[in-house]
Amino acid sequence: MVEDTFLFPPDTDLDLSFTSTTTDRTSLTRTSSLTLSFSFNDRLSAASASATTSSATVLRRPHRSSDPHWSAIRAATALSSDGRLHLRHLKILGHLGTGNLGRVFLCRLRDDHHGGATFALKVVDKDLLNAKKLSHVETEAEILHALDHPFLPTLYARIDASHYTCLLIDYCPNGDLHSLLRKQPGNRLSIRAVRFFAAEVLVALEYLHALGIVYRDLKPENVLLREDGHVMLSDFDLCFKADVAPVFERRSHSPRLTTNSRNRCFCYNNISNKSRFTEHVVAEFVAEPTTAFSRSCVGTHEYLAPELVSGNGHGNGVDWWAFGIFIYELLYGTTPFKGYSKESTLRNIASSRDVRFYINEREELEEGISEARDLIEKLLVKDPRRRLGCARGATDIKRHPFFDGIKWPLIRTYKAPEVRGLVKRSRSLQHVTSHVTHGRRRKWWWKALEYVMRKKGNKYNSITNYSNGNYYHFVNSHKVR
Ligand SMILES: Nc1ncnc2c1ncn2[C@@H]1O[C@H](COP(=O)(O)OP(=O)(O)OP(=O)(O)O)[C@@H](O)[C@H]1O
């Protein structure tokens, strides 16, 4: 959500001025000699080279060919004298938030006269980061570069200019799931909404794992909500990459009999009456990084898996543990091992104490609650070798009765549930394009960027521990990734 109020000076193009007067850093002096470069994602580099190469884009990503974001970028590069896009082509519309690594701004392309394509621009001032955090920036950029999925951000461009690294990604006008949760009565979502969001997150995690990426930072704050209410997982700086060997596994499978019409409709779809009670052998695609291994302790306290807390090394299972905590928090408005301090939370996670549920009368009547609890229990198994998902990834989790009825290949076409505070829009914000000369734009861009980045600049200097909403981010700098 746009955080600050703006002042637009009447006769200038300075559109980055904020009401706050905080300035934490002295002026930077390297802007005069900088070269702005705007490199496209490799897969789309053909499109950046010339405006006439749009067919290459269409061939490579047919599902994105009519995306207004790419159309706007193509149009802007066509107008650029060198056929490339530069920072000055972007108009900053607002400040979306500040993270551990940098600040995120809402922006659009100046010459996008339709005004429909808005973006989020993550701006990292590398001068303010230590080596460890710089490596996190590179990890995030590298991961974003590899992604092509409806529930994950598209990296439209990476701009390295002077001491700034800027990442242009999708803008999510509905904020994050944590803020949405705080708008609900009792901070809890309905089972239907939990199923929707959990299913989409599961599909996003499945895709990441298929690429060998262990996410390590699942929590509602990192689940952003697009304008249509679908999710977009964000924040990839704590990921690590591992090898993955996709396989087709044969599995015998007998359809379940349930009394629930929703389940029955799904289970027996395409299964003839005769074969209802016979076993079927199905080939299933499994791409899970089961050999992934890391010793570094990173993540958010309440979401850390026991093997992560113990520090003896962890793998893909940390994401399935976090997925269990995530579903729990959406259902109950709190996390299951939360203690009165960070240390006691970690002690609860590491202890042999199993997950407990707050059971009330309303809940007992809610359809699907017992399936949800069963799924959570299977995900929050302390021994990762016995935890659901660890051996065969999302394939096994998708089959859990909690998700019965979901037609996975169609999930992106589902309508987001009605949830208080979720505004489903059909188009991004529209703003009037300003017409100024390119020389002025370039000058103001840099002055303004440095001004807003200086503001609260010291925030990034805290090294290992910082408050992040209701959690604490935990990065053990003594351990290597
Ligand atoms: N694509 C986006 N659309 C809308 N808002 C965003 C987007 N990306 C980030 N934000 C907002 O900006 C804030 C800062 O994001 P950022 O990813 O830099 O930090 P973070 O989520 O706190 O994670 P970290 O500090 O671990 O990098 C987020 O909390 C979110 O509110």
Side-chain angles (χ1 to χ4, degrees):
M1 295 284 140
V2 179
E3 210 175 62
D4 291 338
T5 316
F6 311 104
L7 297 174
F8 291 92
D11 57 351
T12 74
D13 189 35
L14 178 59
D15 49 13
L16 286 162
S17 309
F18 293 85
T19 46
S20 165
T21 53
T22 318
T23 49
D24 294 326
R25 286 186 76 223
T26 49
S27 275
L28 304 163
T29 53
R30 281 188 273 158
T31 52
S32 54
S33 59
L34 60 90
T35 310
L36 304 187
S37 70
F38 193 91
S39 64
F40 279 82
N41 194 324
D42 264 353
R43 288 162 301 164
L44 288 140
S45 54
S48 70
S50 135
T52 59
T53 53
S54 58
S55 58
T57 312
V58 173
L59 277 178
R60 285 169 194 223
R61 299 175 106 180
H63 58 292
R64 301 297 304 272
S65 60
S66 57
D67 186 316
H69 295 82
W70 285 116
S71 316
I73 287 176
R74 275 198 297 271
T77 52
L79 290 174
S80 179
S81 57
D82 59 0
R84 299 163 76 88
L85 229 73
H86 298 268
L87 273 178
R88 66 177 183 274
H89 291 123
L90 298 172
K91 183 177 172 76
I92 298 288
L93 304 172
H95 177 223
L96 294 169
T98 301
N100 190 29
L101 300 177
R103 308 189 82 188
V104 182
F105 299 98
L106 172 64
C107 68
R108 68 168 172 78
L109 290 157
R110 285 178 189 277
D111 296 310
D112 174 17
H113 295 292
H114 302 297
T118 44
F119 301 87
L121 183 72
K122 186 163 185 168
V123 182
V124 174
D125 185 342
K126 291 182 281 185
D127 277 358
L128 296 177
L129 303 182
N130 61 18
K132 182 110 188 153
K133 287 192 175 187
L134 284 174
S135 80
H136 288 179
V137 174
E138 286 312 315
T139 302
E140 175 144 48
E142 193 188 319
I143 303 284
L144 283 171
H145 180 85
L147 306 179
D148 181 10
H149 192 276
F151 302 146
L152 293 164
T154 296
L155 178 64
Y156 294 96
R158 170 183 173 152
I159 308 169
D160 283 298
S162 181
H163 48 106
Y164 294 115
T165 288
C166 309
L167 304 171
L168 193 68
I169 59 170
D170 298 294
Y171 164 55
C172 292
N174 268 306
D176 63 70
L177 205 44
H178 180 255
S179 311
L180 190 74
L181 206 53
R182 294 293 164 265
K183 291 177 189 158
Q184 311 309 312
N187 299 331
R188 302 152 57 129
L189 288 168
S190 68
I191 290 275
R192 190 168 171 269
V194 174
R195 186 181 288 114
F196 174 85
F197 292 124
E200 295 206 335
V201 167
L202 178 60
V203 170
L205 287 176
E206 176 181 42
Y207 175 84
L208 289 175
H209 282 205
L211 294 180
I213 298 165
V214 181
Y215 181 45
R216 294 200 290 194
D217 206 11
L218 179 62
K219 57 183 173 181
E221 285 92 328
N222 284 343
V223 179
L224 303 183
L225 299 166
R226 296 181 187 265
E227 60 185 359
D228 56 7
H230 288 272
V231 310
M232 184 184 97
L233 221 56
S234 71
D235 237 342
F236 301 92
D237 52 320
L238 300 185
C239 291
F240 78 99
K241 286 192 78 179
D243 290 333
V244 62
V247 286
F248 269 106
E249 284 187 4
R250 292 170 74 79
R251 209 183 73 85
S252 62
H253 152 82
S254 41
R256 244 176 291 120
L257 241 189
T258 76
T259 51
N260 178 323
S261 57
R262 180 173 53 78
N263 293 342
R264 194 162 51 235
C265 164
F266 175 66
C267 286
Y268 295 146
N269 205 8
N270 296 329
I271 298 171
S272 71
N273 280 346
K274 208 176 167 187
S275 60
R276 273 188 183 183
F277 305 103
T278 57
E279 276 207 342
H280 298 269
V281 176
V282 288
E284 287 177 326
F285 178 70
V286 176
E288 184 64 11
T290 46
T291 56
F293 186 81
S294 168
R295 280 190 187 279
S296 60
C297 275
V298 296
T300 302
H301 284 85
E302 291 172 43
Y303 275 76
L304 294 179
E307 64 270 25
L308 231 158
V309 173
S310 72
N312 294 326
H314 60 270
N316 59 324
V318 297
D319 281 347
W320 301 126
W321 171 277
F323 187 56
I325 305 275
F326 174 76
I327 297 175
Y328 188 106
E329 179 162 21
L330 299 192
L331 277 176
Y332 294 101
T334 183
T335 55
F337 299 105
K338 188 175 161 73
Y340 51 86
S341 66
K342 285 179 277 172
E343 289 68 29
S344 68
T345 299
L346 296 182
R347 265 198 304 277
N348 292 340
I349 294 168
S351 75
S352 57
R353 195 193 102 181
D354 283 333
V355 57
R356 293 182 201 139
F357 298 98
Y358 305 95
I359 299 172
N360 63 38
E361 213 173 291
R362 190 209 95 189
E363 213 175 76
E364 286 310 309
L365 300 173
E366 231 180 329
E367 190 193 325
I369 190 71
S370 54
E371 287 88 347
R373 283 198 210 119
D374 184 71
L375 174 59
I376 291 168
E377 277 170 346
K378 289 189 162 81
L379 291 166
L380 297 185
V381 168
K382 304 234 171 174
D383 179 355
R385 289 166 303 182
R386 295 192 302 108
R387 188 177 305 149
L388 185 65
C390 288
R392 291 156 44 83
T395 307
D396 281 346
I397 301 173
K398 282 173 161 180
R399 256 201 325 267
H400 188 277
F402 179 62
F403 291 119
D404 274 359
I406 290 180
K407 292 181 171 53
W408 296 98
L410 299 181
I411 193 166
R412 61 195 280 193
T413 66
Y414 282 15
K415 205 165 163 263
E418 295 301 325
V419 175
R420 181 189 289 184
L422 183 66
V423 183
K424 285 175 260 175
R425 279 163 273 214
S426 56
R427 292 199 73 193
S428 307
L429 292 175
Q430 291 198 13
H431 294 266
V432 181
T433 311
S434 67
H435 300 278
V436 289
T437 65
H438 280 230
R440 271 179 80 202
R441 282 180 194 175
R442 190 180 292 122
K443 186 173 128 204
W444 281 114
W445 227 108
W446 284 101
K447 285 202 168 170
L449 183 60
E450 300 227 326
Y451 172 75
V452 293
M453 290 301 289
R454 277 204 311 273
K455 208 183 96 166
K456 300 176 191 163
N458 285 343
K459 180 175 171 63
Y460 315 127
N461 291 338
S462 62
I463 301 302
T464 54
N465 239 335
Y466 68 96
S467 165
N468 187 13
N470 63 337
Y471 305 110
Y472 289 89
H473 226 110
F474 180 73
V475 179
N476 187 339
S477 53
H478 304 300
K479 307 210 170 151
V480 286
R481 206 175 260 196

